[in-house]
């Protein structure tokens, strides 16, 4: 494709921005991540605009870039934050935690303080 001006690129991106955001949000279910995916997609599209063969296929092209970026972020987030369900033994409610549960953390702190106070102050 022949060179495209920055202004023309900006106009085309602006036209499709709501669709890009909806696509990313549909994949990620998180507004901040969707915004990140769209931002990265627009940057990648700007850097690779010379690879676009026909100006008429811009929408499909940038939507595919956005879908790929959203899937990449989804996979990264899934790998980085394994979330496990735990049940609080007192309330019986389910809690979500990453790694150590807040309940286990409170038990650990409580035991540590008990040991400290049982020994007494110097």
């Amino acid at each position: 494709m022949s060179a495209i001006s920055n202004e023309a690129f900006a106009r085309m991106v602006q036209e499709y921005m709501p669709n890009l955001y909806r696509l990313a949000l549909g994949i990620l279910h998180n507004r901040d991540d969707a915004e990140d995916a769209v931002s990265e997609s627009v940057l990648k599209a700007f850097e690779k605009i010379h690879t676009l063969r026909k100006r008429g296929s811009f929408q499909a092209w940038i939507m595919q870039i956005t879908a790929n970026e959203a899937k990449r972020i989804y996979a990264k987030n899934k790998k980085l934050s394994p979330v496990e369900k735990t049940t609080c033994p007192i309330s019986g409610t389910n809690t979500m935690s990453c790694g150590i549960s807040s309940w286990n953390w409170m038990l650990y702190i409580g035991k540590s303080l008990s040991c400290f106070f049982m020994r007494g102050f110097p």
Side-chain angles (χ1 to χ4, degrees), residues 13 25 29 59 80 105 112:
V13 166
L25 187 59
H29 305 286
Q59 181 182 10
L80 288 178
W105 182 250
S112 298

Side-chain angles (χ1 to χ4, degrees), residues 2-105:
S2 60
I4 184 169
S5 71
N6 291 349
E7 293 81 18
F9 179 83
R11 277 194 307 275
M12 288 191 292
V13 166
Q14 184 117 18
E15 180 180 348
Y16 301 117
M17 189 66 74
N19 294 337
L20 300 177
Y21 179 74
R22 276 193 292 276
L23 173 63
L25 187 59
I27 293 168
L28 295 165
H29 305 286
N30 179 291
R31 291 178 182 190
D32 292 334
D33 288 342
E35 290 172 4
D36 290 344
V38 171
S39 296
E40 287 297 319
S41 299
V42 170
L43 179 61
K44 286 180 180 182
F46 184 76
E47 291 171 344
K48 301 286 185 178
I49 192 69
H50 64 277
T51 65
L52 181 63
R53 292 191 182 103
K54 290 189 257 176
R55 190 176 286 195
S57 61
F58 180 81
Q59 181 182 10
W61 181 72
I62 197 164
M63 293 289 279
Q64 187 61 57
I65 293 171
T66 303
N68 291 343
E69 185 62 25
K71 290 173 188 176
R72 186 193 66 75
I73 291 172
Y74 180 83
K76 181 187 81 167
N77 288 348
K78 191 173 180 180
K79 208 182 280 188
L80 288 178
S81 58
V83 178
E84 62 185 40
K85 283 189 177 181
T86 58
T87 303
C88 174
I90 293 175
S91 67
T93 59
N94 288 331
T95 58
M96 301 299 282
S97 67
C98 296
I100 188 167
S101 70
S102 55
W103 175 251
N104 288 337
W105 182 250

